[in-house]
Amino acid sequence: MAEEFKMSLIQNEVVGVIVARFQVPALHEGHRYILDYVLERHKTTLVILGCSPIMTDRNPLSFEMRRQMIESVYPQKIAIVSSDSIPSSYEERSRRIDEVIRNTFSNRTAIIYGSRDSFVHTYQGVFETHEVPTIFSGSATKIREKVDVIDSTDFRSGVIYANLHRKRSGYPTVDVAVLDSTFQQILLVGKKDEEGKLRFPGVFFDPELDDSYESAGVRCIAKEIPGITTTSLQLLQSLKLDDWRFRKTHDRVVTILLQTRYLGGLPLPGRGVNQVTWVNLNNLEKVLVDCHKPLALIIKK
């Protein structure tokens, strides 16, 4: 019966469809098994590669990289297209997959194949689905995590390519204005190699440590001016800064300026800080590093 079913599919030219991500450096045993399984049963095989709008640790490879990887093993045997959006609902995702199939092979019926934990179990579209036996118990995530540095021109070229072709990023930072009770004095910090200039205490927003920009501000004060107490933090304004660390790159820093009032405690320098000092607001722009001077204008409003 299984052989008759296989021959029936081939004779009727039903399209075999695989919806997958294939976010690995090389096709693993499970990938090859499902591709071979579908190729044996269909004259026409369609692979729909899900594509993320941005490169992430979960989706580091572009559509073109994955297309080339598949075609290097299965040359001229598989039609490969992308589904470049990730809808929030199973219903919408299923509708878009149906649309891709129809746009690629109009007036053809299809069967969508997948393994135990695949898209076929959440699919709500019009085409038939078929579960393929799972023979690979590994994890693509673990495969990616094991990728290590390789001393080769190809590896270095790949790293350069990935960085040159990723979307430009805005790195969020949090800077804190700690004012005295008269709102005439402000606490600034000094760091090494800044020629005696001062800056607002600040940190990069860290999604592993911070639940909000305000919590990042609390962490900032505890890190750079430990021992003082302040009122709750208020968000004043966000602003793109000309940070020297990103000056010759495609990326930029966007800072969120918070304000708080000093209540008490001895302002001593914390980690990464050489000095902490009170500065009169009238002298603020004179003592600041260049990239923080725009923040002085916000404080003085």
Side-chain angles (χ1 to χ4, degrees):
M1 287 295 293
E3 191 63 30
E4 290 177 6
F5 171 70
K6 185 191 301 184
M7 290 304 299
S8 174
L9 293 179
I10 293 174
Q11 290 168 2
N12 292 327
E13 295 196 354
V14 177
V15 179
V17 179
I18 301 169
V19 180
R21 290 173 44 243
F22 292 139
Q23 288 286 355
V24 288
L27 296 175
H28 60 56
E29 181 184 4
H31 293 151
R32 290 172 182 260
Y33 180 80
I34 191 170
L35 287 165
D36 291 338
Y37 186 96
V38 176
L39 282 166
E40 284 180 4
R41 289 160 174 78
H42 296 269
K43 283 184 177 179
T44 305
T45 297
L46 172 66
V47 172
I48 302 175
L49 294 176
C51 294
S52 171
I54 57 174
M55 293 174 65
T56 66
D57 54 345
R58 178 171 163 77
N59 296 289
L61 300 178
S62 69
F63 167 77
E64 186 62 23
M65 293 175 189
R66 291 174 290 154
R67 183 190 65 78
Q68 291 176 356
M69 175 178 66
I70 297 168
E71 289 184 344
S72 68
V73 182
Y74 298 93
Q76 300 178 338
K77 290 184 177 181
I78 301 171
I80 304 171
V81 297
S82 66
S83 177
D84 58 3
S85 59
I86 306 176
S88 57
S89 71
Y90 294 138
E91 182 180 3
E92 176 61 15
R93 188 183 183 198
S94 301
R95 186 191 68 77
R96 295 198 184 186
I97 291 299
D98 288 352
E99 189 176 83
V100 171
I101 295 171
R102 289 194 180 105
N103 288 342
T104 309
F105 295 104
S106 59
N107 302 318
R108 298 274 294 274
T109 188
I111 297 177
I112 302 175
Y113 291 83
S115 57
R116 183 181 58 233
D117 300 320
S118 70
F119 168 70
V120 296
H121 297 289
T122 58
Y123 174 70
Q124 299 174 13
V126 300
F127 295 106
E128 182 184 343
T129 61
H130 183 80
E131 181 178 320
V132 176
T134 299
I135 66 158
F136 180 73
S137 59
S139 161
T141 299
K142 290 182 179 178
I143 291 174
R144 290 192 297 272
E145 289 173 349
K146 289 181 179 178
V147 173
D148 204 352
V149 175
I150 300 172
D151 181 16
S152 74
T153 300
D154 286 347
F155 184 88
R156 289 185 287 272
S157 296
V159 173
I160 292 170
Y161 178 91
N163 276 280
L164 286 177
H165 291 81
R166 64 177 172 80
K167 287 192 174 182
R168 297 184 179 190
S169 298
Y171 289 90
T173 62
V174 171
D175 289 301
V176 183
V178 182
L179 297 164
D180 71 350
S181 59
T182 67
F183 291 90
Q184 296 300 313
Q185 301 274 334
I186 187 169
L187 269 179
L188 299 179
V189 299
K191 299 187 177 183
K192 286 182 179 180
D193 303 323
E194 291 192 322
E195 300 178 348
K197 293 289 186 178
L198 302 173
R199 61 169 55 242
F200 289 80
V203 293
F204 279 92
F205 178 81
D206 188 333
E208 293 185 355
L209 300 175
D210 307 319
D211 295 323
S212 64
Y213 293 132
E214 288 81 1
S215 66
V218 171
R219 178 171 63 85
C220 168
I221 294 173
K223 173 179 176 284
E224 298 200 346
I225 319 177
I228 69 168
T229 57
T230 68
T231 59
S232 59
L233 293 141
Q234 295 180 321
L235 195 153
L236 291 183
Q237 188 175 322
S238 61
L239 183 70
K240 183 168 69 174
L241 293 182
D242 183 26
D243 190 298
W244 65 269
R245 291 167 292 188
F246 296 87
R247 199 161 287 161
K248 293 185 178 181
T249 75
H250 294 312
D251 302 326
R252 290 293 180 266
V253 161
V254 177
T255 195
I256 293 85
L257 182 60
L258 304 176
Q259 179 177 295
T260 185
R261 184 164 58 85
Y262 170 80
L263 292 178
L266 188 60
L268 295 175
R271 283 183 293 138
V273 172
N274 290 341
Q275 64 170 316
V276 178
T277 185
W278 286 104
V279 173
N280 190 286
L281 288 185
N282 292 328
N283 299 321
L284 186 55
E285 291 173 85
K286 298 176 184 177
V287 301
L288 283 173
V289 293
D290 288 343
C291 68
H292 273 199
K293 286 182 179 179
L295 302 181
L297 301 177
I298 299 173
I299 293 297
K300 289 183 175 183
K301 282 183 180 178

